Amino acid sequence: MSRRGEYIDLRTALKNYLKEQGVTLSDLLSLMDEQKEGIMESLRKRVHLTDAQSRALEENLTSKQLNLLLFVIQAFYLLNPSGTYKNFILEPTRGDVMHGDKVTFEGCKMILKALRISTEGLDI
């Protein structure tokens, strides 16, 4: 696991988590909703989104990318108030991506970048 001081990058944490669970990313995503409408409804419950931001995500990301974003938000940020993975602070940090009990749109973009998913078309 690559470490930078007391931090761990989100992508490394995700890879490690999936490996520990004995699940591939394909397996995980195949179990999730493939309809963008359902994915976007789930994201709106977890992310502060304007209508324009919601449309931008829906138009510029695939269903698999949206599902991955949803999974990471849920597993690493919402259900994990410590903001850590194995005693390492997740990067981007919980404080950087969340406002209150939801992720911000800018936080979504930070998460996507950390996962090496293009954020082109998301500059609103």
Side-chain angles (χ1 to χ4, degrees), residues 28-119:
L28 174 71
L29 295 176
S30 72
L31 298 173
M32 298 178 81
D33 192 350
E34 291 182 25
Q35 300 300 316
K36 281 190 175 182
E37 185 177 295
I39 303 166
M40 291 309 301
E41 184 178 322
S42 293
L43 276 172
R44 281 189 289 274
K45 291 177 183 176
R46 293 160 177 85
V47 180
H48 296 285
L49 290 173
T50 64
D51 289 342
Q53 291 166 338
S54 184
R55 263 191 316 280
L57 285 171
E58 190 171 1
E59 291 171 2
N60 290 287
L61 299 176
T62 67
S63 294
K64 286 185 179 187
Q65 290 169 330
L66 289 169
N67 272 325
L68 180 56
L69 175 62
L70 179 61
F71 174 78
V72 167
I73 286 170
Q74 188 70 28
F76 289 96
Y77 294 98
L78 297 181
L79 295 177
N80 181 17
S82 71
T84 63
Y85 178 76
K86 296 195 173 201
N87 297 319
F88 293 96
I89 299 168
L90 285 166
E91 203 168 48
T93 67
R94 192 171 196 274
D96 287 342
V97 302
M98 293 192 67
H99 179 69
D101 62 348
K102 287 186 172 185
V103 172
T104 65
F105 182 67
E106 287 304 313
C108 282
K109 292 194 307 187
M110 293 171 93
I111 290 168
L112 290 167
K113 287 177 184 174
L115 296 172
R116 299 189 188 144
I117 296 172
S118 173
T119 59

